[in-house]
Amino acid sequence: MPVHWQERLAELPDVLRSRSKPRTVILLGDLAIGGDEFVTIAGPCSVETKVQLLSTADRVSRAGARVLRGGAFKPRSSPYSFQGLGAEGLKLLALARERTGLAIVTEVMSECDVSLVAEYADILQIGSRNMENSTLLAAAACAGKPILLKRGMVATVTDLLRAAQCIVSYGNPNVMLCERGIRTFDTTTRNTFDAAAIAILKQVTHLPVICDPSHACGNRDLVPALARIGVSAGADGMIVEVHPAPEQAWSDGEQSLGFDGFESMVADLRPWIELNRSLRSKQSKAEQVEAMQ
Ligand code: PEP
Ligand code: MN
């Protein structure tokens, strides 16, 4: 790791990458996140209906996704927008897991809901708007489930690592960091995808890094390009919004891929994933040689 980063991040010892701790691999059944496999997480922004969720779970699973996403508790900008199905949505996610074997990730927005969400989810998502909610971080950390921590939309990379340090310091080492775009002056896209954040995180932390090309751009036509960039920057996986009929989605339809779009994106990404895998193994061999000298 570059020395100046080591100095800047000295207050975050538990998340820093070192020779003795080059990476954290999060194990979920036969799935390893942060290992050699690029992990695809896919599903709708919100859980809406049984048919919507199960049909999406079937299709993304067949296309190679390993984790199903879907919000049951939704952070919405307007109080008049759909706020999520709550407990009913969690039950549908559990049904989809039973049917497909996919692991489940879903957002928890309040410390009051942590135990309920943890009953159903395999991974707890902490959303962008809650990255610095330390009460929620503490409660989620203590639930004993891996955590997908999304970067706050106005958070620096150091802020993200600080939030991860909080979770690890509460006794939960299984944290994945998610780059989902940040707010900048440019409103052409919903957010600005910070590819450099992925590259630097891969250098400075041992925690797995996941890219979210959907929220980063807010436009389905741009999602495949951003996914390629995420893979090339070294991400360990991606989280993508997929919906059976994106134009009718109850939230984030503009950025959701349809089934065909998702399938072709996954197929097109394969050579990029392979290339990144071989670069990574070259790099880790070089590090081993350096460590022996
Ligand atoms: C989501 O994943 O649907 C979501 C609300 O994400 P974010 O917290 O990144 O906005
Ligand atoms: Mn969404």
Side-chain angles (χ1 to χ4, degrees), residues 12 33 96 99 131 141 185 225 263 289:
L12 309 171
I33 302 174
R99 191 173 145 122
M131 189 204 81
F185 63 86
E263 280 164 6
V289 171

mmCIF file of all heavy atoms in Angstrom, residues 12 33 96 99 131 141 185 225 263 289:
data_model
loop_
_atom_site.group_PDB
_atom_site.id
_atom_site.type_symbol
_atom_site.label_atom_id
_atom_site.label_comp_id
_atom_site.label_asym_id
_atom_site.label_seq_id
_atom_site.Cartn_x
_atom_site.Cartn_y
_atom_site.Cartn_z
ATOM 1 N N LEU A 12 -7.530 3.767 11.242
ATOM 2 C CA LEU A 12 -8.477 2.727 10.809
ATOM 3 C C LEU A 12 -7.785 1.360 10.691
ATOM 4 O O LEU A 12 -7.842 0.720 9.637
ATOM 5 C CB LEU A 12 -9.090 3.117 9.452
ATOM 6 C CG LEU A 12 -9.677 4.531 9.368
ATOM 7 C CD1 LEU A 12 -10.045 4.880 7.942
ATOM 8 C CD2 LEU A 12 -10.893 4.636 10.270
ATOM 9 N N ILE A 33 -17.280 -14.212 -1.175
ATOM 10 C CA ILE A 33 -17.245 -12.835 -1.689
ATOM 11 C C ILE A 33 -15.890 -12.232 -1.307
ATOM 12 O O ILE A 33 -15.504 -12.231 -0.143
ATOM 13 C CB ILE A 33 -18.400 -12.001 -1.105
ATOM 14 C CG1 ILE A 33 -19.742 -12.661 -1.450
ATOM 15 C CG2 ILE A 33 -18.349 -10.559 -1.627
ATOM 16 C CD1 ILE A 33 -20.958 -12.035 -0.818
ATOM 17 N N ALA A 96 -38.043 -16.626 -2.398
ATOM 18 C CA ALA A 96 -37.180 -16.651 -3.594
ATOM 19 C C ALA A 96 -35.882 -17.405 -3.307
ATOM 20 O O ALA A 96 -35.363 -18.127 -4.158
ATOM 21 C CB ALA A 96 -36.886 -15.224 -4.044
ATOM 22 N N ARG A 99 -36.544 -21.103 -3.357
ATOM 23 C CA ARG A 99 -36.786 -21.597 -4.712
ATOM 24 C C ARG A 99 -35.523 -21.668 -5.577
ATOM 25 O O ARG A 99 -35.354 -22.583 -6.360
ATOM 26 C CB ARG A 99 -37.785 -20.636 -5.344
ATOM 27 C CG ARG A 99 -38.379 -21.061 -6.624
ATOM 28 C CD ARG A 99 -39.438 -20.034 -6.928
ATOM 29 N NE ARG A 99 -39.501 -19.806 -8.351
ATOM 30 C CZ ARG A 99 -40.596 -19.981 -9.058
ATOM 31 N NH1 ARG A 99 -41.702 -20.366 -8.472
ATOM 32 N NH2 ARG A 99 -40.601 -19.760 -10.340
ATOM 33 N N MET A 131 -24.993 5.688 5.774
ATOM 34 C CA MET A 131 -23.610 5.222 5.960
ATOM 35 C C MET A 131 -22.988 5.717 7.262
ATOM 36 O O MET A 131 -22.160 5.052 7.862
ATOM 37 C CB MET A 131 -22.735 5.658 4.780
ATOM 38 C CG MET A 131 -21.356 5.044 4.788
ATOM 39 S SD MET A 131 -20.152 6.036 3.878
ATOM 40 C CE MET A 131 -19.748 7.285 5.090
ATOM 41 N N ALA A 141 -24.110 -4.352 12.920
ATOM 42 C CA ALA A 141 -22.869 -5.109 13.136
ATOM 43 C C ALA A 141 -23.131 -6.283 14.082
ATOM 44 O O ALA A 141 -22.609 -7.390 13.888
ATOM 45 C CB ALA A 141 -21.793 -4.198 13.716
ATOM 46 N N PHE A 185 -21.149 18.298 -9.219
ATOM 47 C CA PHE A 185 -21.836 19.408 -9.902
ATOM 48 C C PHE A 185 -22.566 18.917 -11.139
ATOM 49 O O PHE A 185 -23.479 19.568 -11.634
ATOM 50 C CB PHE A 185 -20.821 20.502 -10.284
ATOM 51 C CG PHE A 185 -19.780 20.038 -11.267
ATOM 52 C CD1 PHE A 185 -20.040 20.091 -12.628
ATOM 53 C CD2 PHE A 185 -18.573 19.502 -10.825
ATOM 54 C CE1 PHE A 185 -19.095 19.638 -13.539
ATOM 55 C CE2 PHE A 185 -17.639 19.055 -11.728
ATOM 56 C CZ PHE A 185 -17.887 19.113 -13.095
ATOM 57 N N ALA A 225 -21.681 -0.148 -19.506
ATOM 58 C CA ALA A 225 -20.369 0.517 -19.589
ATOM 59 C C ALA A 225 -19.786 0.709 -18.193
ATOM 60 O O ALA A 225 -18.591 0.454 -17.958
ATOM 61 C CB ALA A 225 -20.502 1.858 -20.296
ATOM 62 N N GLU A 263 -28.992 -10.270 -19.155
ATOM 63 C CA GLU A 263 -28.288 -11.457 -19.668
ATOM 64 C C GLU A 263 -27.174 -11.064 -20.632
ATOM 65 O O GLU A 263 -26.069 -11.609 -20.559
ATOM 66 C CB GLU A 263 -29.275 -12.396 -20.373
ATOM 67 C CG GLU A 263 -30.055 -13.230 -19.375
ATOM 68 C CD GLU A 263 -31.300 -13.888 -19.968
ATOM 69 O OE1 GLU A 263 -31.514 -13.800 -21.190
ATOM 70 O OE2 GLU A 263 -32.059 -14.464 -19.185
ATOM 71 N N VAL A 289 6.387 -12.588 -3.919
ATOM 72 C CA VAL A 289 7.845 -12.536 -4.146
ATOM 73 C C VAL A 289 8.449 -11.418 -3.311
ATOM 74 O O VAL A 289 9.450 -11.605 -2.619
ATOM 75 C CB VAL A 289 8.133 -12.312 -5.664
ATOM 76 C CG1 VAL A 289 9.599 -12.027 -5.893
ATOM 77 C CG2 VAL A 289 7.672 -13.519 -6.478
#
